[in-house]
């Protein structure tokens, strides 16, 4: 009958919350019709590809070099370990009022160069970042629902009025449909305001989904 026909034609759909990068670019885009991945804000897990780790290591190496030049790297040598540790602690004690060891603009330049080196071999005008022939260039699968909150809006709340209840506050979030090639997944969000670890928690996903819902 008609009910049986609808049941036979029903497609299988998969929903993945906070999935790691696990498919090459072609496979990731090909399964977008039946796989939906949900990524919350700066969640570190969907960004944990070897390519992103390679870029992060390059940035960290630059930071270590800057600390060494400023005599604030305790691991640079056994002879100056104590003076370097003291100098590093003094710098950390300056807090946000101290002078930066390396400027954010310089870190951004280093990151862009590292990303460029990681994409060599992708093809002339291919801006999708991952090499289809490289096994370690992996993406989050399918269509991606990216939940995000602007860093400047971390304290912004939205008032809601559930039926038969008083006013409540919830975090204000936004959402956009995209896929695994989006630039926001091409690196770790580790700057000020990032919550790379806590954004992976179940409660963070629930809050983000609730924050995207329209008022009743």
């Amino acid at each position: 009958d008609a009910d049986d026909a609808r049941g036979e034609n029903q497609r299988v759909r998969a929903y993945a919350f906070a999935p790691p990068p696990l498919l090459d670019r072609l496979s990731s885009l090909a399964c977008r019709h039946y796989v939906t991945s949900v990524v919350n804000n700066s969640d570190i897990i969907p960004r944990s590809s070897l390519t992103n780790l390679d870029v992060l290591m390059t940035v960290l190496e630059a930071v270590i070099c800057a600390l060494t030049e400023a005599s604030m790297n305790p691991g640079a040598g056994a002879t100056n370990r104590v003076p370097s540790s003291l100098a590093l602690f003094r710098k950390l004690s300056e807090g946000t009022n101290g002078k930066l060891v390396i400027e954010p603009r310089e870190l951004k330049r280093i990151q862009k160069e590292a990303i460029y080196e990681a994409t060599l071999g992708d093809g002339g005008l291919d801006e999708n970042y991952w090499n289809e022939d490289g096994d370690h260039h992996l993406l989050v699968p399918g269509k991606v629902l990216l939940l995000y909150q602007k860093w400047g809006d971390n304290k912004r709340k939205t008032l809601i009025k559930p039926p038969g209840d008083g006013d409540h506050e919830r975090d204000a979030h936004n959402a956009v449909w995209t896929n695994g090639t989006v630039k926001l997944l091409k690196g770790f969000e580790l700057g000020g305001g990032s919550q790379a670890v806590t954004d992976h928690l179940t409660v963070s996903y629930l809050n983000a989904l609730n924050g995207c819902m329209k008022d009743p």
Side-chain angles (χ1 to χ4, degrees), residues 12 26 28 58 73 90 123 134 147 153 175 199-200 210:
V12 174
L26 286 179
S28 172
T58 301
N73 182 10
R90 282 196 296 267
L147 311 173
D153 295 340
D199 278 340
H200 182 66
N210 287 331

Side-chain angles (χ1 to χ4, degrees), residues 81-91:
R81 184 166 298 171
V82 173
S84 296
S85 298
L86 293 175
L88 179 60
F89 287 139
R90 282 196 296 267
K91 171 58 69 174

Side-chain angles (χ1 to χ4, degrees), residues 19-86:
L22 42 76
L23 293 180
D24 61 76
R25 176 173 171 256
L26 286 179
S27 300
S28 172
L29 297 177
C31 69
R32 65 186 182 277
H33 300 295
Y34 55 90
V35 176
T36 299
S37 294
V38 182
V39 177
N40 178 37
N41 217 29
S42 57
D43 187 351
I44 194 172
I45 299 302
R47 295 171 170 83
S48 297
S49 66
L50 291 180
T51 304
N52 286 345
L53 288 172
D54 185 22
V55 172
L56 177 62
M57 290 300 298
T58 301
V59 174
L60 292 179
E61 288 173 1
V63 174
I64 291 174
C65 289
L67 290 174
T68 302
E69 293 177 0
S71 300
M72 290 187 290
N73 182 10
T79 56
N80 63 344
R81 184 166 298 171
V82 173
S84 296
S85 298
L86 293 175

